[in-house]
Short mmCIF file of all heavy atoms in Angstrom, two decimals:
data_model
loop_
_atom_site.label_atom_id
_atom_site.label_comp_id
_atom_site.label_asym_id
_atom_site.label_seq_id
_atom_site.Cartn_x
_atom_site.Cartn_y
_atom_site.Cartn_z
N GLY V 367 85.20 123.93 111.49
CA GLY V 367 85.39 124.98 112.53
C GLY V 367 86.74 125.66 112.47
O GLY V 367 86.90 126.63 113.24
N PHE V 368 87.71 125.21 111.72
CA PHE V 368 88.87 125.89 111.59
C PHE V 368 89.46 125.74 110.19
O PHE V 368 89.13 124.80 109.49
CB PHE V 368 89.95 125.69 112.66
CG PHE V 368 90.42 124.17 112.57
CD1 PHE V 368 91.72 123.98 112.12
CD2 PHE V 368 89.76 123.09 113.10
CE1 PHE V 368 92.22 122.62 112.04
CE2 PHE V 368 90.23 121.88 113.07
CZ PHE V 368 91.46 121.68 112.46
N THR V 369 90.44 126.59 109.85
CA THR V 369 91.05 126.52 108.41
C THR V 369 92.25 125.77 108.48
O THR V 369 92.95 125.51 109.64
CB THR V 369 91.40 127.97 107.99
OG1 THR V 369 92.36 128.59 108.86
CG2 THR V 369 90.13 128.81 107.85
N LEU V 370 92.69 125.13 107.39
CA LEU V 370 93.78 124.28 107.29
C LEU V 370 95.07 124.89 106.71
O LEU V 370 96.12 124.16 106.72
CB LEU V 370 93.47 123.11 106.32
CG LEU V 370 92.23 122.27 106.73
CD1 LEU V 370 91.93 121.21 105.50
CD2 LEU V 370 92.35 121.55 108.01
N ASP V 371 95.00 126.11 106.31
CA ASP V 371 96.07 126.68 105.50
C ASP V 371 97.28 127.09 106.25
O ASP V 371 98.31 127.57 105.61
CB ASP V 371 95.58 127.76 104.65
CG ASP V 371 94.96 128.92 105.39
OD1 ASP V 371 94.53 128.68 106.62
OD2 ASP V 371 94.95 130.03 104.86
N TYR V 372 97.49 126.93 107.55
CA TYR V 372 98.63 127.43 108.31
C TYR V 372 99.77 126.51 108.47
O TYR V 372 100.83 126.80 108.75
CB TYR V 372 98.19 128.01 109.61
CG TYR V 372 97.31 129.17 109.54
CD1 TYR V 372 96.07 129.23 109.92
CD2 TYR V 372 97.87 130.38 109.08
CE1 TYR V 372 95.19 130.32 109.97
CE2 TYR V 372 96.99 131.57 108.95
CZ TYR V 372 95.72 131.45 109.41
OH TYR V 372 94.95 132.57 109.33
N TYR V 373 99.41 125.16 108.35
CA TYR V 373 100.35 124.11 108.69
C TYR V 373 100.36 122.98 107.72
O TYR V 373 99.40 122.73 106.93
CB TYR V 373 100.08 123.52 110.09
CG TYR V 373 100.18 124.59 111.18
CD1 TYR V 373 99.08 125.20 111.75
CD2 TYR V 373 101.48 124.90 111.78
CE1 TYR V 373 99.20 126.16 112.75
CE2 TYR V 373 101.62 125.80 112.74
CZ TYR V 373 100.46 126.38 113.21
OH TYR V 373 100.57 127.38 114.26
N ALA V 374 101.47 122.25 107.67
CA ALA V 374 101.55 120.97 106.94
C ALA V 374 100.60 119.93 107.54
O ALA V 374 100.40 119.98 108.79
CB ALA V 374 102.96 120.53 106.83
N PHE V 375 100.13 119.01 106.67
CA PHE V 375 99.26 118.01 107.09
C PHE V 375 99.85 116.67 106.49
O PHE V 375 100.65 116.68 105.56
CB PHE V 375 97.88 118.14 106.56
CG PHE V 375 97.06 119.01 107.36
CD1 PHE V 375 97.15 120.29 107.27
CD2 PHE V 375 96.04 118.49 108.27
CE1 PHE V 375 96.34 121.20 108.04
CE2 PHE V 375 95.29 119.26 109.02
CZ PHE V 375 95.35 120.70 108.98
N ALA V 376 99.60 115.62 107.26
CA ALA V 376 100.10 114.25 106.78
C ALA V 376 99.05 113.22 106.94
O ALA V 376 98.10 113.38 107.77
CB ALA V 376 101.39 113.93 107.66
N TRP V 377 99.14 112.28 106.13
CA TRP V 377 98.38 110.95 106.24
C TRP V 377 99.26 109.86 106.76
O TRP V 377 100.44 109.71 106.44
CB TRP V 377 97.90 110.58 104.90
CG TRP V 377 96.74 111.37 104.23
CD1 TRP V 377 96.85 112.48 103.50
CD2 TRP V 377 95.41 111.22 104.60
NE1 TRP V 377 95.62 113.01 103.22
CE2 TRP V 377 94.65 112.22 103.84
CE3 TRP V 377 94.61 110.40 105.33
CZ2 TRP V 377 93.32 112.40 103.87
CZ3 TRP V 377 93.27 110.49 105.34
CH2 TRP V 377 92.54 111.46 104.63
N PHE V 378 98.74 109.09 107.68
CA PHE V 378 99.27 108.01 108.34
C PHE V 378 98.38 106.83 108.19
O PHE V 378 97.24 106.95 107.88
CB PHE V 378 99.52 108.26 109.78
CG PHE V 378 100.44 109.39 110.04
CD1 PHE V 378 99.96 110.68 110.15
CD2 PHE V 378 101.93 109.09 110.33
CE1 PHE V 378 100.81 111.70 110.37
CE2 PHE V 378 102.72 110.18 110.49
CZ PHE V 378 102.18 111.49 110.59
N ARG V 379 98.90 105.59 108.34
CA ARG V 379 98.12 104.38 108.29
C ARG V 379 98.63 103.32 109.31
O ARG V 379 99.79 103.38 109.63
CB ARG V 379 98.06 103.78 106.90
CG ARG V 379 99.35 103.27 106.47
CD ARG V 379 99.16 102.77 104.94
NE ARG V 379 100.41 102.19 104.40
CZ ARG V 379 100.51 101.84 103.18
NH1 ARG V 379 99.65 102.11 102.29
NH2 ARG V 379 101.73 101.34 102.79
N GLN V 380 97.66 102.55 109.85
CA GLN V 380 98.08 101.54 110.76
C GLN V 380 97.31 100.26 110.40
O GLN V 380 96.01 100.21 110.47
CB GLN V 380 97.86 102.01 112.23
CG GLN V 380 98.39 101.00 113.22
CD GLN V 380 98.53 101.61 114.51
OE1 GLN V 380 97.77 102.48 114.94
NE2 GLN V 380 99.42 101.09 115.38
N ALA V 381 98.01 99.17 110.20
CA ALA V 381 97.44 97.92 110.01
C ALA V 381 97.46 97.03 111.25
O ALA V 381 98.23 97.40 112.12
CB ALA V 381 98.13 97.17 108.80
N PRO V 382 96.62 96.14 111.40
CA PRO V 382 96.49 95.30 112.59
C PRO V 382 97.81 94.72 112.99
O PRO V 382 98.45 94.06 112.08
CB PRO V 382 95.51 94.25 112.25
CG PRO V 382 94.59 94.93 111.34
CD PRO V 382 95.47 95.78 110.47
N GLY V 383 98.36 94.87 114.13
CA GLY V 383 99.63 94.32 114.61
C GLY V 383 100.88 95.02 114.11
O GLY V 383 101.99 94.51 114.24
N LYS V 384 100.63 96.15 113.38
CA LYS V 384 101.81 96.84 112.86
C LYS V 384 101.89 98.31 113.40
O LYS V 384 100.92 98.84 113.88
CB LYS V 384 101.79 96.90 111.33
CG LYS V 384 101.85 95.60 110.66
CD LYS V 384 101.84 95.76 109.12
CE LYS V 384 101.99 94.39 108.50
NZ LYS V 384 101.94 94.47 107.03
N GLU V 385 103.02 98.85 113.35
CA GLU V 385 103.25 100.24 113.80
C GLU V 385 102.57 101.20 112.92
O GLU V 385 102.38 100.94 111.69
CB GLU V 385 104.78 100.66 113.87
CG GLU V 385 105.47 99.78 114.93
CD GLU V 385 106.96 100.19 114.97
OE1 GLU V 385 107.45 100.79 114.00
OE2 GLU V 385 107.62 99.97 115.95
N ARG V 386 102.19 102.40 113.36
CA ARG V 386 101.69 103.45 112.55
C ARG V 386 102.74 103.96 111.60
O ARG V 386 103.90 104.26 112.01
CB ARG V 386 101.09 104.56 113.41
CG ARG V 386 100.32 105.64 112.64
CD ARG V 386 99.54 106.52 113.62
NE ARG V 386 100.38 107.09 114.54
CZ ARG V 386 99.96 107.79 115.63
NH1 ARG V 386 98.64 107.81 115.88
NH2 ARG V 386 100.86 108.36 116.46
N GLU V 387 102.40 104.09 110.28
CA GLU V 387 103.33 104.38 109.31
C GLU V 387 102.93 105.78 108.67
O GLU V 387 101.83 105.95 108.19
CB GLU V 387 103.32 103.30 108.22
CG GLU V 387 104.15 103.64 107.03
CD GLU V 387 103.93 102.59 105.87
OE1 GLU V 387 102.88 101.89 106.00
OE2 GLU V 387 104.77 102.49 104.97
N GLY V 388 103.80 106.63 108.40
CA GLY V 388 103.71 107.83 107.68
C GLY V 388 103.50 107.52 106.21
O GLY V 388 104.31 106.76 105.70
N VAL V 389 102.50 108.10 105.50
CA VAL V 389 102.14 107.87 104.20
C VAL V 389 102.50 108.99 103.27
O VAL V 389 103.23 108.93 102.23
CB VAL V 389 100.69 107.42 104.02
CG1 VAL V 389 100.38 107.24 102.57
CG2 VAL V 389 100.37 106.16 104.78
N SER V 390 102.09 110.23 103.71
CA SER V 390 102.32 111.41 102.83
C SER V 390 102.05 112.62 103.55
O SER V 390 101.38 112.67 104.64
CB SER V 390 101.29 111.40 101.68
OG SER V 390 101.51 112.52 100.78
N CYS V 391 102.88 113.71 103.23
CA CYS V 391 102.87 114.97 103.82
C CYS V 391 102.54 116.02 102.74
O CYS V 391 103.08 115.91 101.65
CB CYS V 391 104.10 115.31 104.61
SG CYS V 391 104.28 116.83 105.34
N ILE V 392 101.87 117.05 103.04
CA ILE V 392 101.63 118.13 102.14
C ILE V 392 101.84 119.52 102.90
O ILE V 392 101.36 119.65 104.01
CB ILE V 392 100.23 118.08 101.44
CG1 ILE V 392 100.05 119.13 100.42
CG2 ILE V 392 99.09 118.16 102.57
CD1 ILE V 392 98.93 118.95 99.55
N SER V 393 102.49 120.42 102.22
CA SER V 393 102.86 121.68 102.89
C SER V 393 101.59 122.61 103.02
O SER V 393 100.52 122.22 102.34
CB SER V 393 103.91 122.33 102.14
OG SER V 393 103.45 122.79 100.82
N SER V 394 101.71 123.58 103.78
CA SER V 394 100.52 124.50 104.04
C SER V 394 99.96 125.11 102.73
O SER V 394 98.66 125.25 102.62
CB SER V 394 100.91 125.61 104.92
OG SER V 394 101.96 126.37 104.40
N SER V 395 100.89 125.27 101.78
CA SER V 395 100.34 125.87 100.55
C SER V 395 99.90 124.87 99.52
O SER V 395 99.31 125.15 98.49
CB SER V 395 101.45 126.83 99.85
OG SER V 395 102.56 125.95 99.37
N GLY V 396 100.31 123.65 99.80
CA GLY V 396 100.11 122.57 98.84
C GLY V 396 101.13 122.30 97.74
O GLY V 396 100.92 121.44 96.87
N SER V 397 102.07 123.26 97.74
CA SER V 397 103.10 123.25 96.60
C SER V 397 104.19 122.14 96.86
O SER V 397 104.94 121.90 96.00
CB SER V 397 103.75 124.56 96.56
OG SER V 397 104.51 124.88 97.73
N GLU V 398 104.38 121.59 98.07
CA GLU V 398 105.34 120.54 98.40
C GLU V 398 104.67 119.40 99.01
O GLU V 398 103.82 119.50 99.87
CB GLU V 398 106.35 121.25 99.40
CG GLU V 398 107.54 120.35 99.75
CD GLU V 398 108.45 121.05 100.74
OE1 GLU V 398 108.14 121.18 101.86
OE2 GLU V 398 109.51 121.59 100.25
N THR V 399 105.06 118.20 98.49
CA THR V 399 104.52 116.96 98.95
C THR V 399 105.71 115.96 99.17
O THR V 399 106.74 116.01 98.73
CB THR V 399 103.54 116.33 97.99
OG1 THR V 399 104.14 116.10 96.67
CG2 THR V 399 102.34 117.26 97.73
N LEU V 400 105.28 114.98 100.00
CA LEU V 400 106.30 113.87 100.39
C LEU V 400 105.53 112.67 100.57
O LEU V 400 104.44 112.59 101.06
CB LEU V 400 107.03 114.32 101.80
CG LEU V 400 108.00 113.32 102.30
CD1 LEU V 400 109.34 113.36 101.49
CD2 LEU V 400 108.34 113.69 103.77
N TYR V 401 106.13 111.53 100.08
CA TYR V 401 105.57 110.32 100.07
C TYR V 401 106.47 109.22 100.64
O TYR V 401 107.67 109.21 100.45
CB TYR V 401 105.13 109.83 98.66
CG TYR V 401 104.07 110.69 98.05
CD1 TYR V 401 104.53 111.82 97.19
CD2 TYR V 401 102.78 110.58 98.21
CE1 TYR V 401 103.62 112.67 96.62
CE2 TYR V 401 101.76 111.41 97.68
CZ TYR V 401 102.25 112.45 96.92
OH TYR V 401 101.37 113.30 96.28
N ALA V 402 105.84 108.23 101.27
CA ALA V 402 106.63 107.04 101.66
C ALA V 402 107.03 106.23 100.42
O ALA V 402 106.20 106.26 99.48
CB ALA V 402 105.74 106.15 102.59
N ASP V 403 108.16 105.57 100.41
CA ASP V 403 108.60 104.83 99.24
C ASP V 403 107.51 103.77 98.83
O ASP V 403 107.38 103.47 97.63
CB ASP V 403 109.89 104.16 99.55
CG ASP V 403 111.10 105.11 99.60
OD1 ASP V 403 110.98 106.26 99.15
OD2 ASP V 403 112.16 104.67 100.22
N SER V 404 106.80 103.27 99.81
CA SER V 404 105.86 102.18 99.46
C SER V 404 104.69 102.71 98.72
O SER V 404 103.97 101.84 98.06
CB SER V 404 105.39 101.52 100.77
OG SER V 404 104.75 102.46 101.60
N VAL V 405 104.47 103.97 98.58
CA VAL V 405 103.22 104.53 97.91
C VAL V 405 103.57 105.44 96.77
O VAL V 405 102.77 105.85 96.08
CB VAL V 405 102.26 105.14 98.89
CG1 VAL V 405 101.91 104.22 100.04
CG2 VAL V 405 102.79 106.44 99.38
N LYS V 406 104.92 105.75 96.55
CA LYS V 406 105.25 106.69 95.59
C LYS V 406 104.77 106.25 94.20
O LYS V 406 104.89 104.98 93.85
CB LYS V 406 106.77 106.85 95.46
CG LYS V 406 107.35 107.71 96.60
CD LYS V 406 108.87 107.80 96.53
CE LYS V 406 109.34 108.71 97.66
NZ LYS V 406 110.92 108.76 97.56
N GLY V 407 104.23 107.10 93.41
CA GLY V 407 103.73 106.77 92.09
C GLY V 407 102.33 106.25 92.03
O GLY V 407 101.75 106.13 90.98
N ARG V 408 101.78 105.90 93.13
CA ARG V 408 100.42 105.35 93.30
C ARG V 408 99.48 106.31 94.05
O ARG V 408 98.22 106.37 93.73
CB ARG V 408 100.43 104.00 93.95
CG ARG V 408 101.26 102.98 93.24
CD ARG V 408 101.12 101.55 93.82
NE ARG V 408 101.52 101.53 95.25
CZ ARG V 408 100.73 101.25 96.26
NH1 ARG V 408 99.46 101.05 96.13
NH2 ARG V 408 101.26 101.21 97.53
N PHE V 409 99.99 106.99 95.09
CA PHE V 409 99.08 107.90 95.89
C PHE V 409 99.47 109.39 95.56
O PHE V 409 100.66 109.63 95.25
CB PHE V 409 99.45 107.68 97.31
CG PHE V 409 98.88 106.39 97.97
CD1 PHE V 409 98.40 105.37 97.11
CD2 PHE V 409 98.92 106.18 99.30
CE1 PHE V 409 98.02 104.16 97.64
CE2 PHE V 409 98.42 104.94 99.77
CZ PHE V 409 97.99 103.96 99.02
#
């Protein structure tokens, strides 16, 4: 119902008993990405 191209998006994860953790971010154009240290090189 709506387009995605105006804003950055991010992935988060939460394991039982743990805080929600930021995993990855991608800019609106897709040209810029950011990763948590724990997933760099794998995700």
Side-chain angles (χ1 to χ4, degrees):
F368 69 99
T369 59
L370 301 176
D371 58 337
Y372 294 115
Y373 297 97
F375 278 77
W377 287 93
F378 299 84
R379 66 187 183 186
Q380 188 166 27
K384 297 184 179 180
E385 294 180 340
R386 188 167 58 194
E387 173 191 18
V389 176
S390 184
C391 179
I392 185 166
S393 64
S394 59
S395 68
S397 63
E398 184 177 78
T399 58
L400 179 69
Y401 299 94
D403 288 342
S404 59
V405 306
K406 285 180 180 177
R408 300 188 298 117
F409 290 11

